[in-house]
Structures are given as C-alpha cells and as structure tokens.
C-alpha cells in the first residue's frame, strides 16, 4: 500500500498537535455531555451527534473559519430550526431530509455561520424520531444550542491553556516582497472556482511569508 496515503492531510499538522487535539476533543465532548444533563431535556439525548463533528473542527482545526464560535453556535442552532420548520411543512421524510440540509446550507451561508455539522443538525431534526418531533423548535435550544455553547466554552478554555489562537485572530502579514497584490490573489481565487477552508487574512499571511523566505534564500 502506498505510504503517501498516510501522510498528514492538513498542512502544518504534526503528531503532537493531533494528540493535543484528541485530548481537547475528548474533554470538550465530556463537558458538553455533562452540561446537557444539567438542563431538562425529557426524552431527548443530553448531547446530539453533530457535536462530535463540531469537536473535530474546534479542537483539530481551530484556525478554520468553519470552526469559529459563531459558525459553531449559529450554524448548529439555526440549522436545527430550519430542519424542524421543513419537517412541519413537508411530511415526506425523503423530501424533507433533502430540503432541510439544502436550506440549512443556504441560511448558514447568508448568515455567515457555515458549519458542516449544521447539515447534520438539520437532518437530525427531520429523522430524529418522535422525541425530536415532539420537542419542536425547543430541540434547537436544548440540546442543540446548549451543546454548541458548552463546546465553544470548552474550546475557548482549552485553547487558552494550550496557548492557541481561538477564536482565531490572523497575525498581520509582513509586507510583500514581490509584485503579488491582494487583488491578484482575489483574481486567482475567482479563476479557480473553488472554496478553500482558510481565512482570507491567513491566506495573505501565508503568501507573504513564503515570499519573504524565498527572498531570503
């Protein structure tokens, strides 16, 4: 089997960083579950499955725009609300499932809180069963919003203890040493017709630092 398949998927990721992310996610999910048990949730679970995916983003890629506090809290909660509304309007589960996820992506994009686990939150609102449907829009508050807030709080505390930037604040980029301007980067992104999981400021900083290293060499 080719060994390159086992190389780190994310640039800059080291084994020690992955271990720290594993530990943080474990602690974060445990605390989130405990917070869920403290609120009245009836027959609903104390924690919902999409939070597992949120933990991957918050602890493994805290610099990602998709992992910031507003996308985590807003994306999960708003998507759950969308899913509940769609279920009430469309009784067919197959149609409701597709429409709920599609609508959640649209609403999250418009509200600048795109968060992949939000799609799972919307889907859970549709296929979660009788307990979720009986809870109605309250499901979006407890456990979804409560879980999301607890996970973000755990992420804030953990990353502060481990001295990582969360919420991520890009460091100002050094002055470019070549003729590449921000407008050139925008033009290149437009030509590629792709969305990349990196903040615009981080992309500027990465290119500027690479230029500085090239000039020094």
């Amino acid at each position: 089997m080719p060994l390159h398949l086992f190389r780190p998927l994310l640039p800059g990721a080291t084994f020690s960083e992955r271990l720290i992310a594993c530990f943080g996610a474990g602690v974060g999910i445990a605390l989130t579950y405990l917070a869920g048990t403290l609120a009245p949730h009836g027959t609903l679970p104390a924690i919902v499955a999409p939070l597992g995916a949120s933990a991957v983003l918050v602890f493994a890629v805290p610099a990602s725009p998709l992992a910031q506090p507003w996308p985590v809290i807003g994306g999960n909660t708003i998507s759950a609300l969308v899913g509940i509304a769609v279920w009430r309007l469309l009784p067919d589960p197959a149609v409701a499932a597709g429409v709920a996820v599609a609508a959640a992506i649209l609403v999250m994009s418009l509200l600048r809180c795109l968060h992949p686990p939000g799609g799972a939150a919307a889907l859970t609102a549709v296929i979660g069963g009788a307990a979720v449907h009986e809870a109605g829009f309250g499901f979006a508050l407890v456990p979804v919003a409560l879980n999301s807030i607890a996970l973000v709080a755990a992420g804030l505390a953990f990353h502060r203890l481990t001295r990582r930037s969360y919420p991520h604040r890009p460091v100002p980029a050094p002055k470019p040493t070549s003729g590449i301007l921000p407008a050139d980067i925008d033009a290149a992104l437009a030509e590629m017709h792709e969305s990349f999981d990196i903040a615009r400021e981080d992309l500027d900083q990465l290119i500027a630092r690479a230029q500085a290293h090239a000039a020094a060499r």
Side-chain angles (χ1 to χ4, degrees):
M1 184 176 292
L3 294 178
H4 72 272
L5 295 177
F6 297 94
R7 292 174 185 167
L9 180 64
L10 299 175
T14 63
F15 185 68
S16 61
E17 288 287 333
R18 297 303 92 186
L19 287 179
I20 292 172
C22 291
F23 180 74
V27 172
I29 287 294
L31 293 175
T32 300
Y33 183 91
L34 290 175
T37 62
L38 298 177
H41 52 84
T43 57
L44 292 170
I47 187 171
V48 288
L51 268 292
S54 295
V56 174
L57 290 169
V58 170
F59 293 96
V61 283
S64 168
L66 307 177
Q68 302 313 298
W70 169 236
V72 176
I73 298 171
N76 283 331
T77 305
I78 291 168
S79 295
L81 290 170
V82 168
I84 295 160
V86 169
W87 168 256
R88 293 191 169 190
L89 292 172
L90 302 172
D92 183 273
V95 175
V99 172
V101 174
I105 293 173
L106 175 62
V107 175
M108 286 190 289
S109 299
L110 293 174
L111 296 180
R112 296 176 59 84
C113 60
L114 189 64
H115 186 62
L123 186 59
T124 302
V126 173
I127 66 170
V132 172
H133 298 155
E134 289 172 8
F137 290 104
F139 169 72
L141 300 179
V142 179
V144 177
L146 176 61
N147 287 169
S148 302
I149 293 170
L151 187 72
V152 166
L156 290 169
F158 182 80
H159 288 305
R160 177 163 294 186
L161 288 173
T162 55
R163 299 188 177 183
R164 283 164 178 75
S165 172
Y166 186 79
H168 181 60
R169 298 178 181 86
V171 178
K175 279 190 173 183
T177 56
S178 73
I180 298 178
L181 299 175
D184 299 322
I185 300 173
D186 291 334
L189 289 171
E191 289 176 353
M192 295 178 74
H193 303 290
E194 295 282 354
S195 296
F196 297 95
D197 188 12
I198 183 172
R200 184 63 175 75
E201 297 82 0
D202 286 333
L203 183 60
D204 290 342
Q205 182 184 157
L206 177 64
I207 293 173
R209 290 182 181 276
Q211 291 172 352
H213 283 290
R217 185 180 66 250

